[in-house]
Amino acid sequence: DIQMTQSPSSLSASVGDRVTITCQASQDISNYLNWYQQKPGKAPKLLIYDASNLETGVPSRFSGSGSGTDFTFTISSLQPEDIATYYCQQYDNLRWTFGQGTKVEIK
Amino acid sequence: QVQLQESGPGLVKPSQTLSLTCTVSGGSISSGGYYWSWIRQHPGKGLEWIGYIYYSGSTYYNPSLKSRVTISVDTSKNQFSLKLSSVTAADTAVYYCARVSAAAADYWGQGTLVTVSS
């Protein structure tokens, strides 16, 4: 099975900072990678699909890039409402795996 | 606007079968084009994919749960269901149902906490 290594597990940044989260797959998954945001007590929300496509209605400060085994999720200017845990999710051969999550806090 | 709502017992005894139903509104499961998924989250932990189903009944399961999981669909009620057998405390989690579009879960239910305890 494909394993996803997401880092860091947590980070603290100031409002307006650029925030970057990485996800590494244990084997080539092309661009089969999605990113979700989960706020406390809420269901996850899809932000990015197919590695770099912004879901409709999601602010443009969120972006994703990468292919193969290495992927990056970026918040260009951190806002207070972005406090959440972010997960990557790969899909390969009709099976899914999630990364361990990155908790983003305001410094 | 598609909405999903999980329902089922919040407490299940060890060794019994956990049964949950997801009711879909604002869209028809039988129209095709989407898979319908179950995902769970252990308390304070990350997300774990359980499996998904197509309206035709085709299913795909997490290999680590496959021996205990059954996902089924009832298109007449616009519902899909999860059964997880022989549960233990390790199955205590928030269970989410979700619509899958192009291998991404784009609509989610609010989640339901299922506790396994005697």
Side-chain angles (χ1 to χ4, degrees):
Chain A
D1 287 354
I2 296 175
Q3 305 302 315
M4 303 301 295
T5 303
Q6 186 175 340
S7 62
S9 57
S10 65
L11 65 88
S12 181
S14 299
V15 172
D17 281 355
R18 184 180 185 88
V19 168
T20 298
I21 298 169
T22 64
C23 216
Q24 185 171 58
S26 58
Q27 63 190 70
D28 191 330
I29 58 170
S30 184
N31 67 332
Y32 300 152
L33 194 285
N34 305 316
W35 291 95
Y36 299 86
Q37 174 193 66
Q38 186 179 33
K39 295 184 177 180
K42 300 294 187 182
K45 174 186 176 183
L46 177 65
L47 300 181
I48 303 286
Y49 63 94
D50 293 346
S52 60
N53 295 295
L54 197 65
E55 177 72 349
T56 302
V58 174
S60 59
R61 64 180 179 275
F62 297 102
S63 66
S65 64
S67 67
T69 60
D70 295 303
F71 301 86
T72 300
F73 172 81
T74 300
I75 307 173
S76 60
S77 177
L78 185 67
Q79 300 302 304
E81 60 267 31
D82 300 335
I83 300 313
T85 300
Y86 294 84
Y87 294 93
C88 62
Q89 171 246 321
Q90 71 83 25
Y91 53 97
D92 180 76
N93 197 25
L94 298 171
R95 297 175 179 176
W96 290 17
T97 313
F98 288 92
Q100 300 91 330
T102 296
K103 187 174 184 179
V104 175
E105 298 175 321
I106 295 285
K107 191 181 295 183
Chain B
Q1 178 81 346
V2 174
Q3 292 185 314
L4 297 93
Q5 178 68 58
E6 305 90 350
S7 60
L11 180 64
V12 181
K13 288 182 167 51
S15 80
Q16 293 190 341
T17 296
L18 178 160
S19 296
L20 295 173
T21 296
C22 183
T23 301
V24 179
S25 58
S28 173
I29 288 178
S30 60
S31 65
Y34 304 101
Y35 282 84
W36 303 90
S37 183
W38 288 98
I39 296 156
R40 71 181 182 178
Q41 186 169 34
H42 295 102
K45 302 297 184 183
L47 300 164
E48 180 180 29
W49 172 67
I50 299 172
Y52 45 63
I53 190 166
Y54 198 55
Y55 80 97
S56 61
S58 298
T59 53
Y60 302 90
Y61 298 136
N62 185 327
S64 69
L65 298 170
K66 186 175 182 178
S67 64
R68 299 194 293 130
V69 172
T70 302
I71 297 176
S72 59
V73 64
D74 186 338
T75 55
S76 67
K77 296 181 179 179
N78 220 30
Q79 296 175 334
F80 63 105
S81 298
L82 168 70
K83 290 188 185 298
L84 182 65
S85 64
S86 305
V87 297
T88 69
D91 294 308
T92 293
V94 174
Y95 286 77
Y96 295 100
C97 60
R99 189 185 82 167
V100 177
S101 174
D106 60 351
Y107 286 95
W108 295 65
Q110 63 186 25
T112 187
L113 174 63
V114 178
T115 301
V116 178
S117 175
S118 55

